[in-house]
Amino acid sequence: MKRFVFALLLAGLLPLQALAEPFTLDDLFAMEWVSDPQIAPDGEEVVYVRNFADRQADRWRSNLWRIDADGQGHRPLTSGMQRDLSPQISPDGGRVAFVRADENGAQLRVLWLASGRSTQLSQLPAAPSGIAWSPDGRYLAFSMLVETPQEPMAKLPRKPEGADWAEPAKVIDRLHYRQDGAGYLKPGDRHLFVIAADGGAPRRLTDGMHDHGSNPAWTPDGESLIFSANLDDDAENEPVRSHLHRLDIDSGEIERLTDGEVSHGSPTVSPNGRYIAFTGFDDRRMSYHMSRLYLFDLESGEYRQLLSDLDRPIAQPVWDRRSRGIYFRYTSEGVTRLGHVEINGDMRQLAADVGGVSNSRPYGSGTFSVSENGRYAYPVTDVTHPADLAVGRNGENLRLTDINGVLFAGRDIADAEELWVESSFDDQRIQAWLVKPADFDPAKSYPLILEIHGGPFSDYGPRFASEMQLYASAGYLVLYVNPRGSTSYGEEFAQLIHHNYPSQDHDDLMSAVDAVASREYVDADRLFITGGSGGGVLTAWAISMTDRFRAAVVAKPVINWYSFALYADASAFFSKYWFPAMPWEDPDHYLARSPISRVGEVDTPTMLLTGEADHRTPMPESEQYYQALKLRGVPAALVRIPDSSHSLSNRPTQLMSKVAHILAWFEKYDEG
C-alpha cells in the first residue's frame, strides 16, 4: 500500500516538473511579496503588507494580511486596488493604524482586528509618515509636510475672465528643491502632529522653517516625543547632520539632547523610560560613514556606543520589554541579519536571511518587529523566492508563508553559487555570486552577464532578484559582485573608494570575471556587462578600460561628475562628501573620474537606459555620453523610460521594459 501511495505521489509530481516553464516578464504581474511585518504585543499574530501588481492599471498595490504565529488563520484584512502601508498595532493589540494611498491621496486609517472593520481618521493635505501609537493607545503621532505659502515675486496684469494664459512662473529659492521619485518639491517643512485614535482634527506640535524628522518615538509616560532632526539655521547646507530632541507635548518646548558634528537618528525609548537607543556616526565628511548603535542615558545626559567591535552597519534598534537589551538589523558579507545586544554589550545573532523586499535586484532590505515576549517577525528570503514571512524567538525561526509557491512550482527558478576571489590590485578578498540557469548543464557553454550594483555604498547578497532570474531564464549566467566600496565588509573596506571612485573597484570586478570566465562552461567570447546608477558609472568606466565585453548597457549613470554634483537632487551632499572640493575649485579631480573623460577609449557597442523623470542621475548625463559615442562612430542607442524615476521600476511595465531592452541589446551582439 505504501508503495502504491508513493507511486501515485511520484506520478503526480512528474507532470508538474515536466511542465515547468522559464520565469518570464509576465510573471512580474503574478508575483507577490511580504513587507513591514508587525507582530502583536502578545506575540500571537502578525499583520503584514502584501504587495502585488495591478495588471490593468500597471501599478504596484498592497493590502494588509494577518496570520497567527503558528501559521494558522491566514487571511486578508483589507482588499482593493490601492496601497495600504505602514501598519502599526496598538499597545492593547486590538487595532491597526495604517496609511491608505489611492487616487484621492494618503490618509490615516484604523482597523479593529476583532471585527475587521476600519475607518478613515483624517483628511490630511499631505501624506503622513512615521505613525506611532501613544503608550495608552489614545493617540497617534505622525509627521507631515506643511506647505509654506508663497507670495509671487512678480505681479502680472490682471487676467481677463475666460482668458487662456500660460501657467505662472515657479520661483525656487531653496537649495533642495527636487527629489527623485517626488519630482519638484512643494515649498514647506515636515512637522510633527498628534491625532486622537478615535478620530478628530490633528494637532500640530512643531513650528518654524525646519524639517522635524519623520519617525517620532513616544516616551513611556506619553508626555514627550523623541525625534531626530537638524534644527540649525544652516540645516539646508548640512544634509547629513542631525541631533536627538525631546518635545514636550503639552508645552511644545523642544530640548536638544545631543550635539556636535554628528548624525543621530532612529531613536527608540526603553520601556522603563531611562534610555534612548539610536543609530548614527560622527560626521567626518567621508563619502561613507558606517551607522553605529548608541545608548543615551536620560538621567545623566550622556551617551555611549554599543558594539564598538562590530564593524558592520547597524539599523532599526528595537528595545526588549525588560529594557535590558536591543534588537537590531545589520548586514555582514552581503547577508542581512537580525541581532540582539544586552546593554552590557553581549551580542547574539538571531537570523541570517532577512530581506527580499527589494526584489528587482538583490539589495539588502526589510524591517522587523518584536513582541513583549521576545517573539519577532521579519521578511525572509533567499535567491529562489521573494520575501515571505518568518517568526522566531531566540534564534529558532519558522517561515510561515510560501506566497509564490504555486506560481514558482511551475517555473524554473535559478539559484546562485557564492564565490570569493582575490583582487588583482591588492589581494583584497572580494565576494560574488554566480546565478546559473535553472536547467544548468556544466557540459554546455553559456554567455555571461556581469551585473554591477549601484550606491556605490550598498551591497548585493543571496536574495531574490527578478532581474537576475529573467537574465538566467534567457540562458545567461549572471555574475554579481561586491567590490571595494560595498557595505557589509567593514568601514575601512567601504572607504577604500573615498574620493577615489571609480578606481580599483574596477579591478575587483574584473578579477571576479577572470575567475568565472576560466571555467569550462563559460564562453569567454560571449561576455556582457551592465549596471545601474553607481553600476552604470562602473560599466561606462569598464568599457573604457577593456574591450572584453561584446556589448554594454549603461543604466541611469553618472557620466560627468562636474554636472552631476550641481544638477542631481542632493547636490549639498554629493559635492561635500564625495569630493575634496567644489567643482569649480578642483575641476581636474571631477573630470579625471568622469567616464566622459575616457569616452575616446570606448569601442564596445553601448546602450544608455535612463528614466525621463530621474532626478538622481538626470537624463543629460546619459545624453552627453550617447552623443559622444555617436560622434565617435561607436554603435550606441539611448533608451528613455517615460515617467520613470531613478528606480526604473515605479510601475511593473517600466521594470519589464528595462530588462527587455537590456536582453534585446545583448542578443543583437551575441553571435552565439
Side-chain angles (χ1 to χ4, degrees):
M1 181 65 180
K2 289 183 178 179
R3 290 180 181 177
F4 177 70
V5 171
F6 179 77
L8 286 177
L9 289 172
L10 185 61
L13 286 174
L14 286 175
L16 284 176
Q17 294 170 348
L19 290 173
E21 299 176 352
F23 186 78
T24 67
L25 292 172
D26 196 61
D27 289 326
L28 296 180
F29 276 128
M31 270 194 338
E32 300 184 8
W33 67 96
V34 169
S35 65
D36 205 359
Q38 298 294 315
I39 194 164
D42 62 8
E44 295 302 315
E45 64 180 324
V46 181
V47 174
Y48 70 89
V49 176
R50 186 157 172 162
N51 304 272
F52 61 97
D54 181 345
R55 183 187 294 267
Q56 197 68 25
D58 186 24
R59 299 286 183 182
W60 302 112
R61 310 294 194 191
S62 57
N63 297 144
L64 302 185
W65 283 61
R66 57 93 53 209
I67 188 171
D68 294 336
D70 61 2
Q72 301 298 309
H74 196 196
R75 60 181 174 83
L77 293 174
T78 66
S79 62
M81 294 300 180
Q82 71 278 329
R83 300 212 70 187
D84 294 331
L85 306 164
S86 306
Q88 294 293 317
I89 301 179
S90 62
D92 63 5
R95 294 162 292 170
V96 180
F98 65 99
V99 175
R100 171 163 294 174
D102 56 25
E103 64 275 7
N104 298 316
Q107 298 295 336
L108 280 170
R109 297 184 68 88
V110 168
L111 181 145
W112 282 260
L113 287 168
S115 66
R117 293 184 177 181
S118 68
T119 187
Q120 181 174 310
L121 286 187
S122 63
Q123 294 186 10
L124 302 174
S129 65
I131 306 170
W133 286 93
S134 64
D136 60 8
R138 296 174 59 193
Y139 303 100
L140 292 162
F142 63 93
S143 72
M144 183 179 68
L145 174 70
V146 177
E147 289 190 51
T148 302
Q150 285 191 314
E151 291 292 329
M153 178 180 290
K155 294 184 179 181
L156 301 184
R158 184 180 180 86
K159 177 181 176 181
E161 185 176 351
D164 185 16
W165 286 19
E167 288 289 320
K170 296 182 174 73
V171 177
I172 296 170
D173 59 6
R174 289 194 172 198
L175 176 59
H176 183 57
Y177 62 92
R178 59 180 176 174
Q179 182 73 38
D180 186 67
Y184 284 83
L185 302 175
K186 297 178 180 179
D189 300 281
R190 297 200 72 85
H191 288 280
L192 302 182
F193 294 79
V194 292
I195 189 172
D198 54 3
R203 175 189 165 200
R204 179 171 160 180
L205 301 176
T206 58
D207 211 338
M209 302 289 287
H210 293 96
D211 277 328
H212 286 73
S214 58
N215 291 284
W218 291 86
T219 55
D221 58 14
E223 296 179 358
S224 302
L225 291 174
I226 307 297
F227 67 94
S228 171
N230 187 345
L231 303 184
D232 295 337
D233 292 338
D234 64 345
E236 191 174 39
N237 292 288
E238 297 294 346
V240 166
R241 295 178 185 174
S242 59
H243 306 100
L244 299 188
H245 299 79
R246 175 165 45 193
L247 166 66
D248 184 273
I249 292 177
D250 286 339
S251 68
E253 292 183 1
I254 294 176
E255 175 190 5
R256 177 183 287 191
L257 300 177
T258 61
D259 216 329
E261 296 180 352
V262 298
S263 175
H264 290 162
S266 303
T268 178
V269 187
S270 62
N272 65 9
R274 178 172 176 179
Y275 300 107
I276 301 172
F278 64 97
T279 59
F281 52 82
D282 294 334
D283 183 4
R284 293 174 285 127
R285 299 286 192 195
M286 299 295 293
S287 303
Y288 171 75
H289 294 94
M290 193 169 70
S291 179
R292 302 177 183 274
L293 181 63
Y294 294 89
L295 189 67
F296 185 96
D297 189 331
L298 285 166
E299 292 184 2
S300 67
E302 298 179 351
Y303 64 90
R304 60 185 173 91
Q305 183 182 340
L306 292 175
L307 296 173
S308 57
D309 294 334
L310 180 63
D311 189 21
R312 296 294 185 266
I314 294 174
Q316 198 192 343
V318 177
W319 282 96
D320 63 30
R321 67 179 181 86
R322 305 169 303 160
S323 300
R324 296 180 182 174
I326 302 158
Y327 296 87
F328 62 95
R329 181 167 40 93
Y330 68 108
T331 305
S332 181
E333 297 184 344
V335 176
T336 304
R337 306 164 192 263
L338 179 63
H340 179 272
V341 59
E342 301 283 338
I343 59 175
N344 64 10
D346 293 337
M347 177 199 157
R348 55 201 168 107
Q349 177 181 287
L350 301 174
D353 49 9
V354 179
V357 173
S358 176
N359 62 30
S360 171
R361 294 193 281 168
Y363 286 116
S365 57
T367 61
F368 70 95
S369 61
V370 184
S371 70
E372 292 180 355
N373 63 9
R375 181 176 283 155
Y376 44 83
Y378 67 95
V380 59
T381 191
D382 61 31
V383 174
T384 63
H385 69 89
D388 273 298
L389 178 65
V391 297
R393 182 188 286 154
N394 296 323
E396 297 292 329
N397 305 323
L398 175 67
R399 177 177 163 188
L400 297 185
T401 64
D402 187 13
I403 290 177
N404 296 287
V406 173
L407 173 66
F408 281 15
R411 297 292 182 270
D412 287 328
I413 302 299
D415 208 341
E417 171 196 350
E418 178 187 358
L419 58 146
W420 290 82
V421 301
E422 291 186 353
S423 173
S424 62
F425 176 72
D426 58 2
D427 296 331
Q428 285 277 351
R429 293 187 73 238
I430 305 299
Q431 191 178 23
W433 290 265
L434 181 65
V435 180
K436 302 174 182 178
D439 60 353
F440 173 75
D441 181 350
K444 296 182 178 180
S445 180
Y446 295 87
L448 173 74
I449 297 175
L450 171 64
E451 210 283 348
I452 310 172
H453 75 64
F457 302 106
S458 60
D459 65 72
Y460 276 168
R463 312 173 182 107
F464 182 86
S466 56
E467 293 185 36
M468 309 302 185
Q469 292 290 336
L470 289 165
Y471 299 146
S473 288
Y476 292 90
L477 297 165
V478 187
L479 176 66
Y480 59 91
V481 187
N482 283 341
R484 69 191 63 208
S486 300
T487 54
S488 78
Y489 303 91
E491 191 164 37
E492 180 181 351
F493 185 85
Q495 290 178 349
L496 288 174
I497 62 170
H498 174 62
H499 295 172
N500 188 35
Y501 162 69
S503 60
Q504 289 75 45
D505 37 0
H506 166 79
D507 300 298
D508 301 341
L509 292 166
M510 294 306 108
S511 297
V513 173
D514 291 340
V516 173
S518 64
R519 299 182 180 186
E520 292 186 359
Y521 54 78
V522 178
D523 188 338
D525 292 326
R526 298 169 67 199
L527 304 180
F528 301 86
I529 184 172
T530 186
S533 194
V537 175
L538 281 165
T539 300
W541 193 260
I543 58 178
S544 75
M545 305 287 284
T546 177
D547 60 0
R548 71 190 305 177
F549 298 102
R550 281 182 177 264
V553 177
V554 178
K556 51 187 179 182
V558 177
I559 294 300
N560 185 333
W561 288 112
Y562 198 118
S563 58
F564 168 81
L566 300 175
Y567 195 40
D569 61 349
S571 59
F573 171 75
F574 293 125
S575 61
K576 289 185 177 182
Y577 289 85
W578 282 16
F579 297 94
M582 289 295 170
W584 55 88
E585 296 171 342
D586 192 357
D588 291 342
H589 182 95
Y590 283 76
L591 183 61
R593 308 208 174 277
S594 296
I596 195 67
S597 71
R598 296 189 54 81
V599 71
E601 306 299 322
V602 176
D603 296 310
T604 304
T606 301
M607 183 172 79
L608 283 299
L609 189 151
T610 302
E612 290 187 339
D614 189 333
H615 292 295
R616 181 60 46 82
T617 56
M619 184 64 72
E621 292 295 315
S622 295
E623 289 174 329
Q624 60 185 295
Y625 199 62
Y626 168 73
Q627 294 282 52
L629 292 171
K630 296 297 284 187
L631 289 170
R632 289 197 57 250
V634 177
L638 175 63
V639 177
R640 303 166 64 102
I641 306 297
D643 300 320
S644 176
S645 67
H646 190 64
S647 71
L648 291 174
S649 60
N650 301 84
R651 304 175 72 169
T653 59
Q654 290 174 342
L655 176 56
M656 295 178 190
S657 183
K658 173 190 177 184
V659 175
H661 280 91
I662 290 173
L663 288 173
W665 186 255
F666 289 165
E667 182 179 353
K668 181 177 181 178
Y669 292 96
D670 185 3
E671 296 176 1

